[in-house]
Amino acid sequence: MSQVTATVRAFLSGKAYLLVSCGMAIFTFQGSRDIINVLLPAIQSDFGLSYTVLGLVAASYDWGHAALLLLGGYFSDRYGKPRTILVGLAWFVIASAAPALLRHIGR
């Protein structure tokens, strides 16, 4: 095993990697949560939603976050924390970017 491989492996199994991954996950979640509040009027006009349904759309971010915390805890016990955080972060970034990309492609 080369020195570079050993250094990368040490970083990926260390606490710094876990801290950076958690920080990125929290940043992307909070950013999406803040953006949804700005987009609520556009969502309401595009889909013709009532205020009640619009409130449910806004609350779905918090419900989804709570559900993913429980699921993430299960997967981190089963597969390890670093791998679970990396997969969860990649999945969240893809899921956050997909609607914008699909809307851009559809134009």
Side-chain angles (χ1 to χ4, degrees), residues 39-95:
L39 296 176
L40 285 176
I43 291 170
Q44 183 181 24
S45 66
D46 284 351
F47 296 104
L49 302 177
S50 68
Y51 285 110
T52 303
V53 175
L54 199 61
L56 292 174
V57 168
S60 68
Y61 271 83
D62 294 327
W63 297 338
H65 182 66
L68 287 176
L69 284 175
L70 294 172
L71 189 62
Y74 169 76
F75 284 139
S76 68
D77 287 344
R78 186 171 174 114
Y79 299 110
K81 291 176 200 165
R83 183 178 295 157
T84 301
I85 290 174
L86 181 64
V87 169
L89 181 61
W91 181 72
F92 185 79
V93 167
I94 290 168

Side-chain angles (χ1 to χ4, degrees), residues 6-15 17-18 21 81-83 86:
T7 303
V8 168
R9 182 168 289 169
F11 176 73
L12 292 178
S13 64
K15 292 184 182 194
Y17 170 73
L18 191 61
S21 298
K81 291 176 200 165
R83 183 178 295 157
L86 181 64

